[in-house]
């Protein structure tokens, strides 16, 4: 065979190999093109059944209001599948345990949500709750900060914080204080923090627990107590009716609305402030897509018009924190609150 013929055969073989590679590449491209439409159709997770928002308190209170606001937002957004809805279920009692047990029984089910606050941290530290929500469940986000008030009757001889501190430095037990719903909760701890900063021996406080802030305020007005510590939403009605006078609010800056004339502890000469972070939790073990869905909804919620009206009415503060930041924040606050609970003589946990 001539040298030219050999070269021609080599050239033809090379072309046949090139064509085979082109054909293989074309089939691979066609296969990839066939996959891409399916990949594009894969939608992110969203609820596939009823969403149940379990409120660890009775109807009408501050926690219930958050659940109702979230339901309104969810309904308006239209994310519910056909025939499904957003349910708000009130499960008061047990310092939150009854509600949290529902989440514990549904690991990985992102159709169940509940609430976390500093109150449940305090209840865990004092042994009144066997669940620490930010560790036991999935923290979705923080939505807002709530603040504490300290109230006296409108005819009380205690006119301001300095009057109160003078009396309580002399005799801490002279001013009996009501809190809801348990000794050692965040309302008790946050108020004790301020009184301690004001020079009061907080180990000698006389504190009475009530089932609700409305009951403690009725007891105050009836002369059975000298003080009531409560969150801002629970005192508005009695404040506007002129039945009580607020001595201080625990925010770092003065609030507006019904509280525009109420000084902060710092304005009253006491180096203290306190807030309770209200956040959303889901059962342990939900997926990253499910977490991302609810985190995004929480971020949108704090911009919703009805949410802003609720925050304005209650004089809480919108303070969105996403999952990672919120989880770290609750753990930091847990460690911080341990010291005050221990000083009150109420600490019941070792770690």
């Amino acid at each position: 065979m001539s040298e030219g013929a050999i070269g021609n055969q080599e050239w033809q073989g090379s072309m046949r190999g090139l064509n085979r590679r082109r054909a293989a590449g074309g089939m691979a491209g066609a296969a990839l093109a066939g996959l891409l439409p399916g990949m594009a159709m894969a939608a992110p997770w969203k609820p596939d059944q009823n969403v149940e928002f379990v409120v660890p308190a009775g109807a009408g209170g501050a926690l219930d209001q958050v659940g109702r606001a979230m339901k309104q937002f969810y309904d308006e957004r239209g994310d519910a599948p056909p025939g499904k809805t957003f349910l708000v279920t009130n499960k008061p009692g047990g310092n939150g345990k009854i509600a949290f047990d529902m989440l514990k029984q549904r690991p990985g089910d992102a159709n169940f949500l509940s609430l976390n606050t500093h109150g449940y941290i305090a209840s865990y530290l004092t042994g009144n709750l066997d669940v620490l929500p930010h560790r036991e469940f999935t923290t979705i986000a923080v939505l807002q900060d709530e603040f504490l008030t300290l109230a006296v009757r409108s005819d009380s001889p205690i006119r301001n914080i300095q009057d109160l501190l003078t009396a309580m430095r002399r005799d801490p037990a002279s001013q009996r204080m009501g809190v809801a719903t348990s000794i050692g909760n965040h309302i008790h701890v946050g108020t004790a923090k301020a009184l301690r900063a004001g020079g009061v021996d907080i180990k000698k406080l006389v504190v009475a627990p009530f089932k609700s802030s409305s009951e403690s305020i009725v007891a105050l007005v009836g002369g059975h107590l000298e003080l009531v510590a409560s969150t801002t939403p629970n005192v508005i009605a009695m404040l506007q009716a002129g039945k009580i006078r607020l001595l201080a609010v625990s925010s770092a800056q003065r609030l507006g609305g019904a509280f525009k004339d109420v000084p902060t502890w710092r304005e009253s000469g006491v180096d203290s402030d306190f807030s309770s972070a209200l956040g959303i939790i889901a059962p342990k073990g939900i997926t990253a897509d499910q977490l991302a869905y609810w985190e995004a909804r929480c971020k949108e919620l704090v911009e919703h018009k009805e949410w802003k009206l609720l925050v304005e009415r209650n004089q809480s503060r919108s303070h969105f924190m996403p999952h990672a930041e919120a989880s770290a924040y609750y753990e930091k606050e847990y460690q911080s609150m341990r010291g005050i609970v221990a000083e009150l003589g109420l600490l019941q946990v070792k770690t």
Side-chain angles (χ1 to χ4, degrees), residues 2-317:
S2 69
E3 184 177 338
I6 293 173
N8 187 54
Q9 287 180 341
E10 290 177 347
W11 179 81
Q12 289 176 344
S14 297
M15 290 302 295
R16 285 194 295 272
L18 178 60
N19 289 336
R20 283 195 297 272
R21 289 192 295 272
R22 285 175 175 170
M27 287 187 289
L32 181 61
L35 287 174
L36 285 174
M39 292 169 64
M41 289 168 58
W45 182 90
K46 68 177 185 177
D48 55 2
Q49 54 185 282
N50 286 339
V51 172
E52 188 160 356
F53 193 100
V54 186
V55 179
L63 298 184
D64 182 66
Q65 290 176 33
V66 172
R68 306 290 166 180
M70 197 161 186
K71 171 179 170 55
Q72 182 174 353
F73 164 73
Y74 181 88
D75 289 347
E76 288 181 8
R77 200 174 190 278
D79 274 9
K84 304 300 180 182
T85 188
F86 190 109
L87 304 170
V88 178
T89 305
N90 296 93
K91 292 291 181 181
N95 293 298
K97 180 174 173 56
I98 295 174
F100 296 147
D101 278 350
M102 291 184 66
L103 266 65
K104 289 177 73 174
Q105 293 165 12
R106 293 168 173 83
D109 189 345
N111 295 292
F112 279 81
L113 302 171
S114 191
L115 291 153
N116 190 17
T117 73
H118 278 64
Y120 301 120
I121 295 176
S123 292
Y124 179 81
L125 287 167
T126 56
N128 292 315
L129 179 64
D130 61 359
V131 175
L132 187 55
H134 73 271
R135 291 183 182 175
E136 296 274 350
F137 304 116
T138 303
T139 297
I140 302 295
V142 163
L143 300 181
Q144 69 174 21
D145 294 327
E146 286 188 328
F147 305 108
L148 309 180
T149 62
L150 193 59
V152 295
R153 290 188 305 279
S154 57
D155 61 352
S156 170
I158 303 292
R159 306 296 301 176
N160 52 49
I161 284 297
Q162 289 305 319
D163 286 350
L164 178 68
L165 294 178
T166 298
M168 296 190 77
R169 286 168 186 154
R170 183 173 58 246
D171 180 8
S174 66
Q175 305 296 311
R176 298 164 298 175
M177 181 169 69
V179 300
T181 55
S182 62
I183 298 293
N185 71 355
H186 66 301
I187 297 172
H188 182 187
V189 169
T191 305
K193 176 187 175 185
L195 292 172
R196 180 186 64 175
V200 175
D201 184 352
I202 61 174
K203 293 188 290 295
K204 296 180 180 179
L205 297 178
V206 175
V207 182
F210 287 79
K211 292 180 180 179
S212 68
S213 290
S214 60
E215 289 187 15
S216 64
I217 293 172
V218 168
L220 173 70
V221 173
H224 305 291
L225 300 166
E226 284 71 47
L227 299 168
V228 163
S230 177
T231 55
T232 54
N234 294 305
V235 299
I236 293 175
M238 284 294 198
L239 176 64
Q240 292 177 332
K243 300 290 187 180
I244 61 174
R245 183 170 65 252
L246 300 185
L247 301 180
V249 65
S250 69
S251 55
Q253 291 84 36
R254 188 176 290 216
L255 302 178
F259 304 95
K260 62 183 177 59
D261 296 324
V262 183
T264 67
W265 283 92
R266 293 190 189 281
E267 287 180 302
S268 303
V270 179
D271 186 18
S272 179
D273 57 60
F274 183 86
S275 61
S276 174
L278 187 149
I280 304 299
I281 56 175
K284 203 75 171 176
I286 67 172
T287 68
D289 277 355
Q290 291 168 336
L291 171 59
Y293 171 85
W294 285 120
E295 186 181 61
R297 299 297 78 75
C298 287
K299 187 174 183 179
E300 292 170 2
L301 173 64
V302 298
E303 296 299 325
H304 189 251
K305 60 182 184 301
E306 294 300 327
W307 177 263
K308 290 182 176 180
L309 289 173
L310 177 64
V311 168
E312 174 65 22
R313 182 169 67 248
N314 291 341
Q315 283 299 301
S316 50
R317 181 185 67 173

Side-chain angles (χ1 to χ4, degrees), residues 298-350:
C298 287
K299 187 174 183 179
E300 292 170 2
L301 173 64
V302 298
E303 296 299 325
H304 189 251
K305 60 182 184 301
E306 294 300 327
W307 177 263
K308 290 182 176 180
L309 289 173
L310 177 64
V311 168
E312 174 65 22
R313 182 169 67 248
N314 291 341
Q315 283 299 301
S316 50
R317 181 185 67 173
S318 281
H319 185 195
F320 176 77
M321 281 190 250
H323 161 71
E325 184 181 346
S327 298
Y329 176 75
Y330 276 126
E331 182 62 26
K332 178 183 176 183
E333 290 297 288
Y334 169 76
Q335 299 299 337
S336 174
M337 290 179 72
R338 283 177 60 89
I340 303 172
V341 173
E343 190 170 343
L344 287 167
L346 299 172
L347 185 64
Q348 295 294 321
V349 296
K350 296 181 178 179

